[in-house]
Amino acid sequence: PLFRTDWRAMQTASYITALFNKTTPEEAPHPQLFEFFETLLDYAEAQGGSFPFLIWAELQFCNHHGHAPNLGNCTLCNATKNLSFSALSGGMVCAECAQEKKLLTLSCSLDVQDILRAWQSEELPHAIDQTSLTAKQKTAIHTIMDRFMRYHFNLPPELRNAVLH
């Protein structure tokens, strides 16, 4: 019923559906995947209009599909300092590796890394709603996840952007 009155929650459910539709083979029996999909839709009905929920749902989707971004250390050398984000590398990369491999990276401050790691490890979306974000953090998180989702799941950006605008 909420999807009829809350267009953001409905858009979030549509986006989640598109993610599953894109990544699930037709007529393939995946009971755990279907259960996970239903769970995300239930959460979308309750919290789908919030920015933190969208990011949490994307991170959970990535975790479930084995494409979780590495947010703790350099994906190439395991360094933990001077990190930026590279969708191509699947997460954080250090400045040295980024320069050596000529990787396109996005700046990712320590506070944004901490927020993303916390949301990635959170099993339920209720705890993330209390996160207070600055406009700069929100923009950085949006940009990082947008780049990651487009690169790894090849979805048109309009699907995701419809949720956020």
Side-chain angles (χ1 to χ4, degrees):
L2 184 70
F3 291 146
R4 289 186 218 148
T5 58
D6 184 344
W7 69 270
R8 284 193 190 277
M10 185 275 307
Q11 281 298 129
T12 302
S14 294
Y15 174 64
I16 290 168
T17 302
L19 282 172
F20 278 88
N21 188 42
K22 174 83 173 175
T23 59
T24 305
E26 278 191 42
E27 299 184 34
H30 289 291
Q32 294 92 357
L33 188 62
F34 184 74
E35 185 178 312
F36 177 60
F37 173 59
E38 281 189 317
T39 300
L40 283 182
L41 288 180
D42 288 343
Y43 288 140
E45 186 174 15
Q47 297 176 269
S50 79
F51 174 79
F53 173 76
L54 172 67
I55 304 303
W56 176 85
E58 288 176 331
L59 289 166
Q60 297 309 305
F61 179 84
C62 291
N63 288 346
H64 197 68
H65 278 75
H67 288 289
N70 178 346
L71 300 167
N73 54 353
C74 178
T75 59
L76 302 172
C77 75
N78 289 326
T80 57
K81 296 195 187 304
N82 300 322
L83 300 175
S84 56
F85 187 83
S86 168
L88 174 69
S89 295
M92 306 308 291
V93 293
C94 67
E96 294 78 21
C97 288
Q99 184 176 5
E100 180 182 318
K101 303 283 185 188
K102 297 181 172 77
L103 296 171
L104 177 63
T105 62
L106 297 168
S107 175
C108 187
S109 62
L110 291 174
D111 58 328
V112 167
Q113 290 175 46
D114 290 342
I115 292 166
L116 286 170
R117 275 195 302 272
W119 289 0
Q120 186 177 45
S121 66
E122 189 60 53
E123 290 185 26
L124 299 172
H126 313 300
I128 63 167
D129 278 342
Q130 304 307 316
T131 308
S132 179
L133 299 173
T134 66
K136 188 175 179 177
Q137 289 169 328
K138 189 174 177 179
T139 299
I141 290 169
H142 165 63
T143 304
I144 286 167
M145 288 306 297
D146 179 63
R147 185 83 44 92
F148 188 83
M149 296 304 287
R150 281 199 281 156
Y151 181 82
H152 289 278
F153 299 105
N154 196 29
L155 284 173
E158 301 82 42
L159 293 174
R160 187 174 189 275
N161 290 340
V163 176
L164 299 170
H165 299 315

